[in-house]
Amino acid sequence: MSHRIGHWGKRGWGAISALVLSIVLLAGCATGGGGGEEAPAPTRTVAHDLGASAVPDKPQRIVALEFPYVDMLASLRVTPVGAVDDGDPENLIPEVRNRIGKWESVGSRSEPNLEQIARLKPDLIIADNERHAGIYHELSAIAPTVVFTARYAGYEETLDVARKVGDAINKPAEMNAEITRLNGRLDEFARTAPQGGGRDALAVIPRDHGTAQVLGEGSYVAEILRRVRVTYAPEAAAYPENSDSSSVGLEGLAQINPAVLFVMTDARTTTKDWEAAPVWQNLSAVAAGDVHSVNRALWTRSRGLVSMELIAEEATRLLYERAPANAGQPQQPN
């Protein structure tokens, strides 16, 4: 599948660059008059995907431009002054919103609002290589910017990125402690799995016209499920080779035919197009009432330490702590 990064035209970027330059010049004038310039705040050099940046020793005004970074900050109860929300605060899961407290939207993940970011006067910007490499220089003109790759990271990769975020905000010990705590919780969830393994599970996202986005064996969700001893459908190894999900029709889903389906839904993403189809009704999970509707924002977008724990808790609870729902009827999100 292809993933596009939003771009502005040259004129739009030129205008933003001029605005950024004006802000920098005004800030310089404000510190230069009277009794001499203030001593610069101490900085540290932080390595990232696009090089290295000198960042404040203790950044106080952080802007996060991808949901996983907001989630990672939330795991340490660090409040960013700005975060992307794609035009709707509820795109950030409730647990993350509650932890970070008050923050301002800086637009969408694909096209963050550079003017709004500049107005917030950040001292650190955390961006994603998949989306923001093309605007790295514009972001760096606003504030020191570090760029990581979290958008399609798996379980271990996500932990590595969290460590890098912890280092960028100068809280490495706190982040390592949180990762240790998280791994302990995942071990607890893993112990709820039956000996000898359980039913094969598969995670999918409904798409238009009765198609499904199958999360492959190497995807973030699949790796979390395996981490807590939920058996992921082995047939998903072929979906796909070079990205974390692939689109198939219901017939393709029937070829995998898992015993359990986790269906990621939201207000616009439902199983409505599937439910009348005989292929859907004949799936083993549907016939057994082992279809679980789960929140798409939690399972596919947040992708940080907070969401990891919640996914593991929900998956093991749905599988091992309560009986299946009525046959053929997906359960509602919790």
Side-chain angles (χ1 to χ4, degrees):
M1 62 189 251
S2 63
H3 308 287
R4 299 183 60 191
I5 300 175
H7 294 283
W8 291 9
K10 293 183 178 179
R11 181 177 299 176
W13 288 127
I16 291 300
S17 297
L19 171 66
V20 169
L21 180 59
S22 298
I23 292 171
V24 171
L25 291 174
L26 287 171
C29 292
T31 59
E37 294 186 1
E38 296 180 2
T43 62
R44 298 170 300 113
T45 299
V46 175
H48 56 88
D49 289 5
L50 297 183
S53 299
V55 307
D57 190 50
K58 295 182 179 180
Q60 301 296 313
R61 299 185 63 80
I62 303 168
V63 169
L65 300 184
E66 181 57 274
F67 294 156
Y69 306 129
V70 184
D71 186 308
M72 292 167 189
L73 294 175
S75 70
L76 299 184
R77 300 187 184 275
V78 171
T79 300
V81 293
V84 289
D85 61 10
D86 288 1
D88 183 354
E90 293 193 3
N91 283 321
L92 298 176
I93 61 174
E95 292 80 4
V96 164
R97 297 199 307 271
N98 291 340
R99 287 182 181 220
I100 66 174
K102 187 177 180 181
W103 49 275
E104 290 192 31
S105 172
V106 293
S108 69
R109 294 170 292 168
S110 60
E111 292 187 352
N113 187 323
L114 300 191
E115 184 176 355
Q116 177 64 16
I117 294 171
R119 281 200 296 266
L120 290 175
K121 299 180 180 179
D123 55 14
L124 176 64
I125 299 171
I126 307 175
D128 195 80
N129 201 13
E130 288 279 344
R131 294 190 190 272
H132 309 122
I135 59 171
Y136 171 66
H137 294 296
E138 286 83 0
L139 292 170
S140 296
I142 299 172
T145 300
V146 293
V147 180
F148 305 122
T149 304
R151 187 180 175 195
Y152 295 111
Y155 165 68
E156 290 290 351
E157 294 168 316
T158 298
L159 295 184
D160 287 342
V161 173
R163 293 184 185 97
K164 293 175 183 177
V165 169
D167 182 56
I169 65 174
N170 205 6
K171 292 182 179 289
E174 294 90 332
M175 187 63 82
N176 283 327
E178 178 59 19
I179 290 172
T180 298
R181 187 202 66 79
L182 170 66
N183 275 314
R185 288 287 288 155
L186 298 185
D187 288 341
E188 292 177 13
F189 297 133
R191 286 192 286 271
T192 67
Q195 294 297 319
R199 309 181 301 283
D200 287 358
L202 185 72
V204 300
I205 304 170
R207 295 299 190 192
D208 294 336
H209 310 299
T211 60
Q213 199 80 11
V214 173
L215 273 67
E217 189 178 51
S219 67
Y220 167 82
V221 167
E223 290 186 356
I224 292 173
L225 294 179
R226 284 199 301 273
R227 172 65 177 79
V228 293
R229 295 182 59 205
V230 173
T231 304
Y232 204 70
E235 294 85 356
Y239 295 89
E241 295 181 358
N242 298 316
S243 64
D244 73 350
S245 64
S246 183
S247 183
V248 300
L250 286 181
E251 291 77 9
L253 193 57
Q255 290 178 3
I256 304 175
N257 198 23
V260 179
L261 271 172
F262 293 110
V263 182
M264 284 157 275
T265 63
D266 56 26
R268 298 178 298 276
T269 308
T270 71
T271 60
K272 184 178 180 180
D273 290 342
W274 296 355
E275 292 169 1
V279 174
W280 170 255
Q281 294 296 330
N282 289 329
L283 291 176
S284 296
V286 176
D290 234 340
V291 178
H292 305 282
S293 181
V294 295
N295 186 288
R296 185 180 173 192
L298 168 62
W299 280 58
T300 68
R301 294 179 182 140
S302 199
R303 290 177 174 255
L305 307 189
V306 176
S307 54
M308 274 186 181
E309 182 172 351
L310 293 171
I311 291 169
E313 187 278 333
E314 183 173 30
T316 52
R317 175 172 50 81
L318 289 172
L319 286 176
Y320 307 134
E321 294 185 12
R322 73 184 188 196
N326 293 331
Q329 298 297 320
Q331 296 176 21
Q332 294 303 310
N334 295 290

